[in-house]
C-alpha cells in the first residue's frame, strides 16, 4: 500500500489495486505490477476515482503493455459515471475488460 493505492491479493495469481487518486505511475508499478506472477490478473478498481484525466488513460495503456509482457491480464471494475464517460470517449471499452463490481472481476479472474 502507498498513500495513493491500496493493493491486496485475494488469490495467489490475482492482485486487486484500489486507486485513491488518479495519477499513480510509480505506485501502480511498485505496488501491483512488479511482483504479479506470470500469467496472473491485475484488477484495477476505480470505485474511489471520480475524474479521469487523459494522463491516466496513458497509464492504463502502459500497464496493459507491461502486463502483456508478463502474459498477464488486466481487468477494470467499478468505473464511476465520470470515469466511465472519459474512458468511453477514449475508446477504452474496446481494449479493456470491464466488470461492474470487484466481486465479478475476481470471480472472472479465478476462471
Amino acid at each position: 500500500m502507498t498513500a495513493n493505492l491500496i493493493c491486496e491479493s485475494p488469490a495467489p495469481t490475482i492482485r486487486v489495486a484500489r486507486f485513491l487518486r488518479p495519477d499513480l505511475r510509480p505506485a501502480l508499478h511498485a505496488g501491483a505490477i512488479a511482483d504479479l506472477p506470470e500469467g496472473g490478473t491485475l484488477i484495477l478498481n476505480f470505485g474511489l476515482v471520480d475524474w479521469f484525466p487523459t494522463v491516466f488513460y496513458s497509464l492504463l495503456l502502459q500497464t496493459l503493455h507491461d502486463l502483456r509482457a508478463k502474459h498477464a491480464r488486466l481487468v477494470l471494475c467499478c468505473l464511476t459515471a465520470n470515469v466511465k464517460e472519459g474512458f468511453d470517449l477514449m475508446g477504452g471499452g474496446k481494449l479493456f475488460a470491464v466488470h461492474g463490481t470487484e466481486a465479478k472481476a475476481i470471480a472472472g479472474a479465478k476462471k
Side-chain angles (χ1 to χ4, degrees), residues 1-7 17-20 24 27-29 31-32 44:
M1 178 175 144
T2 69
N4 296 321
L5 185 72
I6 300 168
C7 290
R18 294 179 195 94
F19 295 103
L20 301 177
L24 305 168
L28 180 61
H29 195 274
L44 299 181

Side-chain angles (χ1 to χ4, degrees), residues 16-81:
V16 176
R18 294 179 195 94
F19 295 103
L20 301 177
R21 289 182 182 73
D23 188 12
L24 305 168
R25 287 169 284 226
L28 180 61
H29 195 274
I33 298 172
D35 62 350
L36 182 71
E38 177 119 354
T41 300
L42 174 60
I43 299 169
L44 299 181
N45 182 322
F46 284 84
L48 298 176
V49 177
D50 59 346
W51 62 284
F52 192 82
T54 55
V55 69
F56 202 52
Y57 191 74
S58 295
L59 171 68
L60 289 178
L61 292 174
Q62 182 61 50
T63 300
L64 183 62
H65 175 75
D66 294 346
L67 290 174
R68 284 182 176 164
K70 294 180 95 160
H71 305 286
R73 296 183 298 162
L74 177 61
V75 178
L76 311 180
C77 69
C78 306
L79 276 66
T80 61

Side-chain angles (χ1 to χ4, degrees), residues 94-111:
K94 295 176 183 170
L95 288 176
F96 299 94
V98 180
H99 289 278
T101 67
E102 185 177 297
K104 286 181 182 177
I106 291 170
K110 288 181 176 179
K111 292 181 181 179

